[in-house]
Amino acid sequence: MLEDYYGRRVLVGRDEIVPAHVQTLPTITVQTREIICHRCGQRTPKLVAALPNNEYYCPHCINLGRVSTLCKFYHVPEPNQFTISQPVLTWRGRLSPLQVTAAQRVTAGMVAHQRQLLWAVTGAGKTEMIFQGVAACLARGERLAIASPRVDVCLELYPRLQAAFTNTEMALLHGRQSQPYRYAQLTVCTTHQLLRFYHAFDNLIIDEVDAFPYAANPVLFYASQQTSKTQGGQLFLTATPGEYLLNEVRHRRLQVTYLPLRYHGHLLPEIRCHLARHWRRQVQRGRLPTEMWRRLQTSLHQGHRFLLFVPHVADLTTVARACTRHFPATSFTTVHAQDPERLEKVQGMRDQRYSFLITTSILERGVTFPEIDVFVLGADDDIFSSAALVQIAGRAGRSASRPGGHVDFWLTARCRRVSRAMRQIRYMNQKGRCCQRELSAM
């Protein structure tokens, strides 16, 4: 079907007969010493990319199908052939006054096809704040994509968007699905799937832009540029913008909207740091650092559950053994990315079957447990970026019934990444205090 090529690069063999109204685009440019892939933008030395008979392929995006000089792309420019059914927005929820202000700015930016950043603290309700802007663009017949680096975020977003825009044709694209591609006005996809599109979207929204694998990945950044129309808009959503986005804001190449308070109007819990220079040696002997087990004991005595983050899967067993020694009557478990019982254990925490979870960074985002504290052992380990530490700290204080919560990090030494995370939380809290004063004066 012709619509399968709208705004896309569809990989076909070099000898395929071109259908009517379909353009062909080159796959690879061959230069003197290297090749350039037109799907992912990566340069590869010819010796690395060589195939027999002076043909070449791109090794960087091969998981999406091998791009080579033996192939070509089929493409049809995006025609925006959509039937608009009313009402576009069927969501009936309500936003807080601060969310309304932020949503209005985001909507104006989307209608004007600006490049913009929504910098909102963890738990601020970023998804609901884009609904108004998405609806305005859909009503004008525009094509939109909402992308995230992570499959699980896409799977969580898709039904929420279906409920909010029940009259809009919508598609879900990710690497694990078996359903065929279909043309739709609103596409929810992983950022890797953007590599299949070319000048397709009037507005592109990228959620959790700080998350792996999008962060610091030039291939995915290239994809986000290629998939937008020449005059298209881009909206980045994050609680922890990286240096690139901050630099774009400083040079006024990116408009920024702040939301420094959560829906309940309270400030973010701030990080408290403690030195534990030889904590691995201690836990291998079956003991937690003294100050740490006292802090954990206080939370348990006060009836507060918690998450205890450790750097590596190998640390889970030794830390769990030490916790069993200190808290023998307390129900807890460990969880990590490859744990076959991961979903059941997370649900068990939600159902309050556990007083705490010992976890790797897999639970740094995308989960909410009410009224919990958050602790990190070995927060200075290289595995934790400053963005990850902000996200981890953001697991605390998400509930209106206990908007504070404790966030304590134990370090072997002072660490720039930890200091950067602390500064970012303090920065948003400074803006949050200004918002609180403005709200109290209304």
Side-chain angles (χ1 to χ4, degrees), residues 268-372:
L268 295 170
E270 296 197 6
I271 298 167
R272 294 181 298 184
C273 286
H274 317 272
L275 283 178
R277 296 188 186 278
H278 307 293
W279 66 266
R280 273 202 176 90
R281 188 185 306 169
Q282 288 179 273
V283 297
Q284 285 169 359
R285 294 173 179 171
R287 292 187 178 276
L288 297 173
T290 302
E291 186 177 4
M292 181 180 181
W293 75 257
R294 286 176 178 167
R295 174 63 264 174
L296 270 57
Q297 187 176 53
T298 299
S299 289
L300 293 172
H301 284 173
Q302 292 174 348
H304 299 145
R305 299 180 307 139
F306 58 84
L307 295 176
L308 172 55
F309 288 84
V310 297
H312 304 286
V313 173
D315 297 315
L316 292 171
T317 302
T318 53
V319 173
R321 190 181 301 123
C323 287
T324 298
R325 179 172 181 174
H326 289 294
F327 314 112
T330 303
S331 176
F332 71 90
T333 190
T334 63
V335 64
H336 57 90
Q338 303 304 318
D339 189 335
E341 299 179 0
R342 170 183 158 194
L343 296 179
E344 291 82 356
K345 290 178 178 180
V346 171
Q347 188 59 47
M349 184 70 174
R350 289 196 179 100
D351 296 339
Q352 301 191 21
R353 296 200 302 269
Y354 302 118
S355 295
F356 63 94
L357 293 179
I358 307 173
T359 178
T360 58
S361 58
I362 187 62
L363 296 187
E364 77 178 44
R365 62 180 80 216
V367 293
T368 298
F369 305 112
E371 302 184 357
I372 65 167

Side-chain angles (χ1 to χ4, degrees), residues 114 138 170 293 301 376:
Q114 292 179 345
L138 292 175
M170 204 174 300
W293 75 257
H301 284 173
V376 183

